[in-house]
Structures are given as structure tokens and as C-alpha cells.
Amino acid sequence: VCLSFNLQSTLVATGSMDTTAKLWDIEKGEEVVTLSGHSAEIIALSFNTTGDRIITGSFDHTVAVWDVGTGREQNVLIMMPTNNNLVAKYELVQKYHPYLSMQLWNAMTGTHIATLTGHSDEILDVCFDYAGQRIATASADGSARVYNAETKECIAKLEGHGGEISKVS
């Protein structure tokens, strides 16, 4: 369903309909570890900037933080989407679901940081840049938006597609 390279490009993580994520050694082409704990498909995952943690988001409404070295779960946030808000993470990765706004959360503490708005149709994908300074969203309204991660302000509206934008990276 989803995948992500670590910053060093030595590992790739894959998230699956089978409710697991797997870390793979790219050079050897071998599985390093299976991350098990979600009860529904994993729809988003990403490494943090140092590559020692990975975060996964699932349709079971949880976001989990994992230790890359051991494959052990470090923290689980239970997120129940309400009021048509999107559940996401802050500084590590995003969990997305088809809603019109996006909530940012601190993945380590579970603290709500901010809500980003502006799209007129479903948000279909979200990503952070490698430095963690910008957040990009893709929407069924045919636009993408870029937000400043610190100020939470929209700094660019990317409009021009005639149909939905399903992925952003």
C-alpha cells in the first residue's frame, strides 16, 4: 500500500494490507524485520530524519512509532477521526484519511499541534520534506498545498490539474 526509503537509502519500508510493515535491506534484498501490531492495513509510513525510528499509520485508527534497530513498538497513538478532521503526525510521518482538513500531532506525546485547512475536497496524501520544514498535501480538489511546518501557514497553493491529485512526495 505504501513505502518509504530511509534518508541513507539503505533500507526501504513497505506497508501492507496484511496489517504489517516490513523493513528491507536494499543491497542484500533481504527482509530485516517485520513490524506487527496494527489490526488493519497500513496506509502510511515514514522514517524520521535520523533513520532510527519509523512511524506507521493504519486504518485501525492508530499511529505507531517503532525502533528501526529492534523492530519494537515504542509508542502507539490511538486516533479516532472526528468532525471530518484528518489525523496526522508532526515531524515524523503522516497518517491520512479522506477528510478536508489535517490535524498535526506530536507522535511521541500525542499532543495536538494544529489543524491545517484550505482544501475544498478530500485530502488524499500528505508528506513532509526531509528537513521537516514543510508539509505538502494532495487533494481530490485538483490542488496541492505546501505549509510551513513551524508556523502552520499555507505558503503555496499549487493549482492547475483538471482532476484529483492522489499522491505527493
Side-chain angles (χ1 to χ4, degrees), residues 1-2 15-21 35-46 55-66 73 76-81 86-89 93-99:
V1 176
C2 52
S16 176
M17 298 286 287
D18 70 5
T19 75
T20 69
L35 309 176
S36 299
H38 287 290
S39 62
E41 59 266 34
I42 294 174
I43 58 169
L45 52 75
S46 184
I55 190 166
T56 55
S58 169
F59 272 141
D60 66 7
H61 301 292
T62 64
V63 175
V65 180
W66 309 83
E73 202 172 66
V76 177
L77 305 175
I78 298 173
M79 305 294 183
M80 298 303 291
L86 172 78
V87 177
K89 66 80 188 173
V93 76
Q94 60 288 332
K95 176 183 176 186
Y96 55 89
H97 206 293
Y99 297 110

Side-chain angles (χ1 to χ4, degrees), residues 86-90 102-106 111-116 126 128 135 149 152:
L86 172 78
V87 177
K89 66 80 188 173
Y90 182 67
M102 178 181 62
Q103 290 186 21
L104 299 177
W105 299 81
N106 181 305
T111 306
H112 179 260
I113 305 295
T115 300
L116 306 181
V126 180
F128 282 76
I135 306 161
K152 317 307 181 272

Side-chain angles (χ1 to χ4, degrees), residues 4-11 47-52 129-131:
S4 179
F5 285 95
N6 68 349
L7 188 58
Q8 300 81 9
S9 293
T10 56
L11 296 174
F47 289 91
N48 65 351
T49 54
T50 58
D52 63 339
D129 69 357
Y130 281 116

Side-chain angles (χ1 to χ4, degrees), residues 20-46:
T20 69
K22 292 183 182 284
L23 303 182
W24 305 88
D25 182 300
I26 295 169
E27 193 165 308
K28 295 178 182 175
E30 297 175 354
E31 180 183 330
V32 175
V33 69
T34 297
L35 309 176
S36 299
H38 287 290
S39 62
E41 59 266 34
I42 294 174
I43 58 169
L45 52 75
S46 184

Side-chain angles (χ1 to χ4, degrees), residues 90 104 113-117 135 147-155:
Y90 182 67
L104 299 177
I113 305 295
T115 300
L116 306 181
T117 61
I135 306 161
Y147 298 86
N148 179 305
E150 185 176 337
T151 67
K152 317 307 181 272
E153 293 180 32
C154 180
I155 58 175

